[in-house]
Amino acid sequence: MVRLLSVNVGLPRDITWQGKIVNTAIWKTPVDGPRMVRRLNVDGDGQADLAGHGGEGRAVFVYQIDSYRYWQEQLRRDDFVYGQFGENFTIDGLPDAEVCIGDRYRIGAALFEVTQPRVTCYRLGIRMDEPQMAALLVKHGRPGFYLRVLEEGDVRAGDEITKVASGPEGMSIFAINALLYMPGHPRDQLERALRIPTLSAGWRGSFEALLKQRREEGATTGNAGLAAASGPPPAWRGFRPMRVSRKVRESGNVTSLLLEPTDGQPVTAALPGQFVVLRFGPASAPAMMRSYSLSGEPSASHYRVSVKREPHGLAGCYIDDELQIGDIVQASAARGSFTLRPGASPIVLLSAGIGVTPVLAMLHVLAAEASTRQVWWLYATRNGREHPFAEEARGLLGTLAHHRSHIRYSLPDPEDRPKLDFDAYGRLDVQSLRALDLPRDCDVYICGPSTFMSDLTVGLIALGIAPDRIHSEMFGAGPSITPGMSASPPRPPHSPAGSPGSGPLVSFARTGLNVRWEPTFQSLLELAEACDVPVRWSCRTGVCHTCETGLVAGSVDYRPDPVDAPADGNVLICCSKPKGDIVIDL
């Protein structure tokens, strides 16, 4: 007989872990007597991170006593208690290989429906005192599962569990979990999973991303279902010497460099919108490293980057004043996921300041293809002196059958001509976008200062443009995503404390930091945190997926394969050690 062994509840509380305060409800305690199960949880229970846990589709978490026995043997432990894995229901029976998405069960007076496997985060590792526990659950195929409450009612330890309906398609928890996390992702199985109406939105989004990846690429590179799209793998690892063949003044404060490989061999043409990492500087000083979007038409013979000189910017000043034609810089392969998507819908290229560079590359491609799509070119800067690529953009737009342009100057010079050099005074803001009457079915590509992008993203959504049609590129490192951890004042990225390491060179592309690996670190994630590099992995063990936890992964120079995690996820860099020099998009 399948039965309920224990009902376990717990409320969020703060604990200290690795010098940080973590808010978690992973500690659950068995209760005596009946306990009411309601739409969102069991009475007396709560979730600390409502982005990754909780909600109607994840009201109750279930784990099996058979898995307890399995982990006791694997971990050689005998100290488990009910609620050890953070589950609300500890049950005897219903293994993950037999329970299917959409199955319905009667327990006590309540009726439940199976919704998804558990997505396990780093906090289980804290509870178990086993940092790799989340990845181990995935590797060994024992995640447990969530229930939706269809009919509220009392349950208690000892209640019989009765199956009352089978889910459509008959795909088990084990099969669904493996389809996302393990290599392969057969197309027919992805399509089968997407036919399950009760599958949660998060898992559905991951499978849709995987299916799209298979259609567009034929064979997968990384795992689009586990992370934000990171683009194809870089064409080469580390850096490659390139010679400055041209240096062009684009405006009063922007200079373009044309870079050609010193060996004469072609580069892989970048996708429009991607960026490269450059390492350069005088021989007498430590090398500087900066990431720059490619600003020209994708080419197999060269890269074009365009650099703004800031008043106190070391890199921009060096490039402007000292870097000469014929000098050698080290360049990474092109990378990044801010790229032009195919389709027929209208396109809005929206930028400010030096944020024009990646969308200019997109405009080049649209012009080269003689695109018939409707293209909107929206740009804001201070004045004509700080307006790079003005004539270049006008010429490209002029080749398109359907285009509109709107240029704004916030502080125009007396010689700047309204309606000729620019269209309106002021900044691009929500009001100006509303007046332009953008098509609601457009795809928008935004690049510029962070407040510009965040404000306009909110405004575009308010205008009725779907969030998944709004794409943005941020210069510099993004904020950390560490759910449950108390925020602390940010510190500038720096080398780790202690003596410099002697291992492979780890380059954080957007942060501009180069450090040598030191074997005392257990993972690249640990190194990044020791350097105060903003880390955007929320699960910390390589098993979360975007739609459930807000995970964002970086593109890396290789796909590591740690023993305790699946082999093809983009996010696995967080639990890996470098096997050679590596560039990480952080």
Side-chain angles (χ1 to χ4, degrees):
M1 180 179 71
V2 180
R3 63 192 182 98
L4 180 60
L5 298 178
S6 180
V7 178
N8 316 299
V9 300
L11 294 174
R13 57 171 165 152
D14 288 341
I15 63 166
T16 301
W17 176 71
Q18 294 189 356
K20 302 178 178 70
I21 303 299
V22 177
N23 188 249
T24 178
I26 192 69
W27 272 266
K28 307 292 186 187
T29 304
V31 297
D32 295 325
R35 189 58 64 108
M36 175 64 76
V37 180
R38 304 188 189 276
R39 183 174 59 88
L40 294 179
N41 48 32
V42 183
D43 277 0
D45 191 53
Q47 298 89 17
D49 170 25
L50 293 177
H53 308 281
E56 288 190 13
R58 295 172 292 194
V60 176
F61 173 53
V62 178
Y63 211 56
Q64 307 91 343
I65 196 65
D66 182 59
S67 288
Y68 269 67
R69 300 186 186 106
Y70 179 86
W71 290 117
Q72 284 175 326
E73 180 178 344
Q74 289 288 318
L75 302 175
R76 294 180 173 83
R77 291 174 57 173
D78 60 2
D79 58 340
F80 293 172
V81 296
Y82 288 143
Q84 183 76 34
F85 293 83
E87 78 276 11
N88 301 112
F89 291 173
T90 314
I91 64 171
D92 187 3
L94 299 185
D96 290 341
E98 295 180 10
V99 174
C100 296
I101 304 295
D103 283 354
R104 294 185 176 187
Y105 295 93
R106 174 74 64 182
I107 309 176
L111 180 64
F112 302 90
E113 182 177 62
V114 178
T115 57
Q116 64 173 76
R118 181 196 203 179
V119 178
T120 313
C121 73
Y122 73 99
R123 280 161 286 203
L124 179 61
I126 300 174
R127 172 69 177 90
M128 297 289 292
D129 194 25
E130 174 52 64
Q132 292 297 310
M133 198 66 215
L136 287 170
L137 289 181
V138 173
K139 179 188 177 185
H140 292 256
R142 292 178 176 267
F145 55 89
Y146 280 112
L147 298 174
R148 174 186 290 112
V149 180
L150 299 179
E151 294 178 8
E152 297 180 349
D154 284 334
V155 300
R156 66 189 305 162
D159 280 344
E160 182 178 356
I161 301 175
T162 305
K163 185 176 182 179
V164 298
S166 296
E169 300 297 329
M171 291 192 74
S172 70
I173 290 294
F174 177 87
I176 287 287
N177 196 65
L179 185 59
L180 175 63
Y181 289 118
M182 297 303 176
H185 322 296
R187 178 171 177 170
D188 63 329
Q189 293 301 299
L190 291 170
E191 292 173 339
R192 180 183 172 193
L194 288 170
R195 289 195 295 267
I196 304 174
T198 53
L199 186 66
S200 72
W203 285 76
R204 180 174 299 279
S206 290
F207 290 144
E208 287 172 345
L210 281 169
L211 189 58
K212 179 180 179 183
Q213 185 179 36
R214 292 197 69 85
R215 287 170 177 161
E216 293 180 355
E217 300 174 12
T220 57
T221 55
N223 188 326
L226 282 173
S230 60
W236 64 82
R237 291 176 56 177
F239 293 88
R240 181 175 173 181
M242 289 197 175
R243 181 178 291 105
V244 179
S245 63
R246 290 186 65 195
K247 185 175 178 182
V248 180
R249 175 73 65 182
E250 306 289 0
S251 71
N253 58 0
V254 174
T255 298
S256 288
L257 303 176
L258 206 70
L259 306 175
E260 297 178 350
T262 57
D263 58 9
Q265 296 300 308
V267 297
T268 300
L271 298 175
Q274 288 191 307
F275 68 95
V276 295
V277 183
L278 301 185
R279 194 161 65 198
F280 54 89
S284 58
M288 293 177 282
M289 190 173 71
R290 299 292 187 272
S291 57
Y292 297 116
S293 295
L294 297 172
S295 58
E297 181 180 357
S299 169
S301 64
H302 64 269
Y303 284 154
R304 184 177 83 165
V305 298
S306 303
V307 181
K308 180 182 178 181
R309 176 171 182 154
E310 301 287 358
H312 304 290
L314 294 178
C317 291
Y318 173 79
I319 288 172
D320 208 16
D321 296 336
E322 300 183 45
L323 191 67
Q324 302 297 318
I325 294 175
D327 286 351
I328 305 298
V329 301
Q330 301 294 319
S332 77
R335 62 191 64 222
S337 60
F338 182 67
T339 57
L340 188 64
R341 272 71 166 175
S345 58
I347 295 175
V348 176
L349 303 176
L350 174 56
S351 62
I354 195 59
V356 68
T357 52
V359 294
L360 180 64
M362 296 178 187
L363 184 61
H364 268 283
V365 168
L366 292 167
E369 296 174 346
S371 175
T372 58
R373 300 171 73 173
Q374 185 181 143
V375 178
W376 294 64
W377 179 257
L378 311 180
Y379 180 67
T381 188
R382 287 190 180 89
N383 48 53
R385 288 179 294 107
E386 298 186 21
H387 185 173
F389 314 111
E391 292 303 320
E392 182 175 333
R394 289 190 190 103
L396 293 170
L397 289 166
T399 67
L400 297 173
H402 308 287
H403 72 273
R404 289 187 61 179
S405 174
H406 186 78
I407 309 297
R408 287 192 168 234
Y409 287 176
S410 57
L411 294 171
D413 290 330
E415 58 269 27
D416 290 331
R417 300 167 299 174
K419 304 303 180 183
L420 291 176
D421 299 318
F422 66 104
D423 298 294
Y425 295 91
R427 304 177 186 275
L428 279 172
D429 53 21
V430 178
Q431 288 72 27
S432 60
L433 293 183
R434 182 178 292 109
L436 290 171
D437 193 25
L438 300 176
R440 300 299 182 262
D441 62 341
C442 63
D443 284 297
V444 184
Y445 299 85
I446 311 177
C447 191
S450 58
T451 52
F452 169 82
M453 291 192 295
S454 59
D455 290 349
L456 290 190
T457 296
V458 172
L460 288 164
I461 293 172
L463 292 176
I465 297 173
D468 61 357
R469 287 186 172 272
I470 303 172
H471 318 283
S472 60
E473 172 77 327
M474 180 177 291
F475 292 120
S480 296
I481 297 178
T482 48
M485 290 188 189
S486 298
S488 55
R491 297 177 57 196
H494 55 83
S495 296
S499 301
S502 58
L505 185 67
V506 180
S507 300
F508 296 102
R510 294 179 180 267
T511 304
L513 184 67
N514 300 298
V515 296
R516 290 283 174 184
W517 174 257
E518 168 55 51
T520 56
F521 293 107
Q522 297 302 307
S523 66
L524 284 162
L525 173 61
E526 193 174 305
L527 171 64
E529 290 182 326
C531 297
D532 283 311
V533 171
V535 177
R536 308 203 77 205
W537 290 281
S538 58
C539 69
R540 313 179 63 83
T541 51
V543 298
C544 286
H545 62 115
T546 307
C547 301
E548 297 294 336
T549 62
L551 178 70
V552 178
S555 58
V556 296
D557 282 342
Y558 65 92
R559 301 297 183 202
D561 186 10
V563 296
D564 288 332
D568 67 347
N570 293 333
V571 300
L572 298 184
I573 188 67
C574 64
C575 55
S576 304
K577 298 179 181 180
K579 302 173 184 177
D581 290 357
I582 180 174
V583 180
I584 306 176
D585 182 13
L586 285 174

